[in-house]
Amino acid sequence: MKKTLTVLIAAGALLGAAGCAATPQLTNEETCARVKTVVSAASATSDKTGMNRVANQLRPIKEAASDDLRDSLQTIIEYFDESAKPHPDTAKLNTMKADYTAAGQKYGQVCGGGAGQ
């Protein structure tokens, strides 16, 4: 009886964890709306602390983001992470700049210029 109960409890825990781990994928419109909320917040400043906050707030959105925006959000997060370092690698930032610009353009295309449409 104890073994059966233990197996049932373990199976229930695994099923519960599997159910919680699956993040539903957002539509483009939902992704745009969430990103717009983050970047329009008072904490979204251009200083290092603000960039760090924005990157951290974008991470969970990226995990559930639409396929059209997931890569762009990853690129933006990586650029913000490097920019927010105490001593950012300027050569690396210069290399990342083109991808960061392209990611911003892709976001603008998908979200209608950032209007969340």
Side-chain angles (χ1 to χ4, degrees), residues 42-82:
S43 64
T45 59
S46 61
D47 65 357
K48 290 179 187 274
T49 303
M51 293 179 88
N52 193 25
R53 282 187 193 130
V54 170
N56 287 336
Q57 291 172 342
L58 289 176
R59 287 179 215 290
I61 296 170
K62 185 210 58 133
E63 293 304 317
S66 65
D67 289 336
D68 293 335
L69 292 169
R70 186 173 292 123
D71 290 341
S72 294
L73 287 175
Q74 180 62 38
T75 299
I76 291 167
I77 290 167
E78 289 171 0
Y79 186 83
F80 282 6
D81 283 346
E82 185 62 37

Side-chain angles (χ1 to χ4, degrees), residues 26-49:
L26 300 172
T27 65
N28 283 343
E29 185 176 277
E30 291 167 331
T31 303
C32 293
R34 290 185 184 192
V35 170
K36 183 180 179 187
T37 299
V38 168
V39 298
S40 65
S43 64
T45 59
S46 61
D47 65 357
K48 290 179 187 274
T49 303

